[in-house]
Amino acid sequence: MKTIHFIVPLLFVGFSFMGAQVGIGINSPNANAGLEVTSSNKGLLLPRLSLVSTNSASPLSAHVAGMTVYNTATNTSVPANPVYPGEYYNDGTQWLRKSSWNDARMITGGSITDPIALITADAVAETASNTTLSTVSFTLDRPSTVEFSANVSTRYTATGSNTTPLSDGAIKLCTVNFQFTTAPAGVSTTAFFGDHSTSYTNSLSAAGTATGDVYLNPYSVANLPAGSYVLIVRGTVLSGTAFRIGFGGGTRDMIQIKATALQ
């Protein structure tokens, strides 16, 4: 009987802990937390293990939503689902890597250096004219979300002159966008993306009116596979009359490409 009396209180104690919050290093854990860890000189160490791929539960026996681990392995044997060292969580069907500031890198841009020297081109009447403004080569070592942005100035002047204001009154259409000329399989090298277009009509009422700069801001975000890329920034113009356009002659031109690893 003594043994029974000794075990029963312990069972009641066990049940009381199961229904309450657990605190480590704190006597009164937060009422909304199942577990609260407090320390001024120690951290929380996640389980460290080697994942095989994002679509494989291994070394776990199954995908479990909410599971969090620190992966120590680099495994690219499954190209579509590679894993790299870092913290991963499971959504019930796959492993997802937690991105951090360290995962974001600036491929180009991020400074105040003018990336485009003045480029001029004569547009023939009623004929679209394409001009390559900049070429950027880069390599992604893992699948990434890549952000493309630019701020490109345009100047509209009479044909054959960088200073003579226009006086034809015709609408000038201009588009700046991006295009890959080299990319891994499955990524288009013919499609334009990030288009930003504007129209310009000069003033006929004031002789000698300065044309000034009109800025275009192409922008796009894409999820891209690992591999080597060559990107061009392209300007396209069209008008019913001939004119000269200058790209990149402003003081606020900018081209920026930023990549954040997905896995």
Side-chain angles (χ1 to χ4, degrees), residues 6-246:
F6 178 73
I7 293 176
V8 170
L10 287 180
L11 290 175
F12 279 113
V13 171
F15 281 120
S16 67
F17 272 108
M18 291 173 63
Q21 291 74 40
V22 177
I24 299 176
I26 184 172
N27 293 325
S28 300
N30 189 289
N32 294 299
L35 171 66
E36 180 177 352
V37 181
T38 301
S39 176
S40 61
N41 59 3
K42 294 180 175 62
L44 177 65
L45 188 59
L46 292 173
R48 291 159 292 175
L49 46 80
S50 296
L51 297 179
V52 176
S53 63
T54 56
N55 63 342
S56 171
S58 181
L60 276 64
S61 60
H63 290 293
V64 180
M67 186 70 69
T68 302
V69 301
Y70 186 89
N71 172 51
T72 60
T74 297
N75 193 335
T76 57
S77 60
V78 183
N81 304 99
V83 291
Y84 302 87
E87 188 176 341
Y88 282 76
Y89 68 95
N90 200 290
D91 69 356
T93 61
Q94 63 181 332
W95 292 105
L96 299 169
R97 193 173 191 274
K98 288 188 176 181
S99 296
S100 67
W101 285 109
N102 291 332
D103 292 321
R105 66 185 181 96
M106 195 66 69
I107 293 172
T108 188
S111 70
I112 59 175
T113 302
D114 191 342
I116 306 175
L118 178 63
I119 299 172
T120 59
D122 287 317
V124 179
E126 300 182 357
T127 301
S129 174
N130 297 310
T131 303
T132 297
L133 309 179
S134 184
T135 302
V136 181
S137 300
F138 62 93
T139 300
L140 299 177
D141 62 354
R142 63 186 72 180
S144 302
T145 297
V146 184
E147 180 181 10
F148 304 88
S149 60
N151 192 50
V152 180
S153 61
T154 56
R155 296 180 182 179
Y156 303 81
T157 54
T159 303
S161 171
N162 288 327
T163 59
T164 303
L166 292 167
S167 60
D168 55 18
I171 297 174
K172 277 74 177 167
L173 300 178
C174 183
T175 299
V176 177
N177 52 30
F178 306 105
Q179 179 190 10
F180 289 121
T181 57
T182 300
V187 179
S188 175
T189 55
T190 58
F192 304 143
F193 60 96
D195 294 41
H196 185 207
S197 302
T198 189
S199 61
Y200 174 86
T201 305
N202 57 277
S203 172
L204 292 174
S205 59
T209 300
T211 57
D213 294 326
V214 178
Y215 282 84
L216 283 85
N217 313 109
Y219 179 84
S220 184
V221 177
N223 290 337
L224 298 174
S228 297
Y229 295 82
V230 177
L231 178 85
I232 62 171
V233 182
R234 180 196 302 273
T236 302
V237 293
L238 177 64
S239 177
T241 60
F243 71 101
R244 168 166 285 194
I245 187 167

